[in-house]
Amino acid sequence: MLALQGDFKEHAAMLRQIGADPVEVRRAEQLDGLDGLIIPGGESTTIGKLMVSYELLEPLRKLIESGRPVWGTCAGMIVLAKDLGGLRQPLVGALDVRVRRNAFGRQLDSFETDIPMPEVGDEPVHAVFIRAPLVESVGEGVEVLGTLEDGTIVAVRQGNLLATSFHPELTGDSRFHLYFLQMVDAETETAAVSS
Ligand code: GLN
């Protein structure tokens, strides 16, 4: 987990529960040897600024180019995106989507709902939204994994990149983390075969 700011500890707890071995990453050298990376929810402007001051932006882009799975939740989704509809803040800028920050307005600052997500499991996923972003549009090659009832896109995958507007680490449901670990296992096997 990228441990600059936000709720990385909750992600770590969930990963431990399902048998993974999470490590907290703050420096570029620590990216070497990772099987995958989670960028947690928090405040995307803060996470972005810290990525700049810790000189992590380029190394993170390289990690993604190398094929390692990277998952951004909420603020993590924002910093992975290529386009914030004109907002300027430091971004990794790898995920071909346009994201709108704090998209649900004051009334709906935080809410919870169940979302069907067949890729992740038969039963709907319980999703917690906290001052969440939404995906306004996706580029070619971006798969939509989940939408709200009105069609709003809240979960996407583009190859080794996964992004969710909501916080699976805050529910007791580990299926999203298991889905990410499957991405990690698949990539680790491919890397072993080709080396
Ligand atoms: N509103 C936050 C942002 O724009 C994201 C909130 C979250 O990660 N829960 O960065």
Side-chain angles (χ1 to χ4, degrees):
M1 284 107 19
L2 192 68
L4 300 175
Q5 190 263 343
D7 74 336
F8 52 88
K9 290 208 158 43
E10 285 77 359
H11 274 293
M14 186 68 102
L15 287 173
R16 263 185 228 107
Q17 251 179 48
I18 58 173
D21 178 22
V23 290
E24 294 183 3
V25 170
R26 295 185 183 82
R27 295 190 314 275
E29 313 86 81
Q30 295 173 306
L31 295 172
D32 296 339
L34 288 186
D35 293 328
L37 181 75
I38 295 179
I39 306 178
E43 187 54 46
S44 62
T45 47
T46 308
I47 294 176
K49 277 182 201 154
L50 290 169
M51 281 175 170
V52 172
S53 49
Y54 284 66
E55 298 183 358
L56 276 165
L57 278 180
E58 259 327 296
L60 282 170
R61 289 176 189 135
K62 291 217 171 82
L63 183 84
I64 292 167
E65 271 163 34
S66 78
R68 291 284 176 282
V70 176
W71 175 18
T73 56
C74 203
M77 168 193 261
I78 298 169
V79 298
L80 281 178
K82 280 192 174 167
D83 182 359
L84 295 187
L87 277 189
R88 283 171 169 259
Q89 62 186 68
L91 299 175
V92 177
L95 182 65
D96 193 9
V97 294
R98 188 169 73 228
V99 164
R100 179 151 30 109
R101 286 184 63 196
N102 301 325
F104 294 94
R106 292 212 170 166
Q107 299 284 329
L108 276 179
D109 240 13
S110 301
F111 63 101
E112 301 187 14
T113 187
D114 290 328
I115 303 180
M117 250 175 275
E119 298 276 346
V120 174
D122 293 339
E123 296 295 315
V125 169
H126 187 67
V128 177
F129 292 82
I130 304 168
R131 297 183 56 232
L134 65 77
V135 179
E136 287 184 318
S137 63
V138 300
E140 256 175 62
V142 178
E143 183 189 355
V144 174
L145 295 182
T147 62
L148 300 179
E149 264 175 30
D150 66 1
T152 305
I153 301 170
V154 292
V156 293
R157 175 167 175 185
Q158 176 192 320
N160 59 328
L161 294 176
L162 181 65
T164 50
S165 303
F166 52 91
H167 291 268
E169 72 285 7
L170 299 182
T171 66
D173 185 351
S174 55
R175 285 176 298 163
F176 234 102
H177 288 75
L178 284 165
Y179 178 79
F180 182 64
L181 286 194
Q182 279 167 18
M183 285 172 63
V184 170
D185 284 346
E187 146 59 28
T188 317
E189 274 162 33
T190 317
V193 170
S194 57
S195 66

